[in-house]
Amino acid sequence: MSQEKLRADIQMIQRILPHRYPFLLVDKVEEIDGTSSAVGYKNVTMNEPHFQGHFPGTPIMPGVTIVEAMAQTAGVMVGVALEQMDKEMLIYFMSIDKCKFRRKVVPGDVLRMDLKTVRGKPGGKVWRFSGVATVEGEMAAEAEFMAMLDLPKEDA
């Protein structure tokens, strides 16, 4: 039996993630396949605060924010799959491995983030994900990372 793939617009993302401007780094998430995989998008714009200093005259999205955007995509995927809307779920980085940067990401780019769950299951606290971020089909970054989900206690 095939399950319809889900999506999350910015309003849904804000109901799942605690992040807000200037640190909300994913604009929409599509192709959510349960807790298995998802595709996130970040529209990179010149008005983001990190471009004031990274680097003046040659704005480049910091690599750590690319990895954070991938992690937020994973958080939305799990949040949608586990129905965590409006439940104040928190997610904490535990590790970042096999991280490589392949291309600059600059204002005007649309960053596409393909995420897969390597390890994790509903009810589990520790999850491992792999992600690849691309711009127009060209790899910008890749990483594996672990995160701990701090799910709110259900009301008894």
Side-chain angles (χ1 to χ4, degrees), residues 62-128:
V64 294
T65 58
I66 297 170
V67 176
E68 174 67 24
M70 288 193 287
Q72 289 182 18
T73 298
V76 172
M77 170 184 69
V78 171
V80 167
L82 301 183
E83 298 180 357
Q84 290 298 304
M85 289 67 77
D86 305 317
K87 294 190 179 176
E88 299 180 18
M89 172 183 74
L90 294 175
I91 305 170
Y92 304 104
F93 261 127
M94 295 177 68
S95 70
I96 300 170
D97 300 300
K98 300 178 185 175
C99 186
K100 294 189 168 56
F101 301 101
R102 306 288 188 196
R103 157 197 211 286
K104 292 186 284 188
V105 177
V106 299
D109 285 344
V110 176
L111 191 64
R112 175 188 164 115
M113 298 159 291
D114 289 89
L115 272 292
K116 294 188 184 333
T117 300
V118 175
R119 187 179 75 226
K121 62 181 182 198
K125 279 189 163 271
V126 178
W127 293 64
R128 185 169 190 85

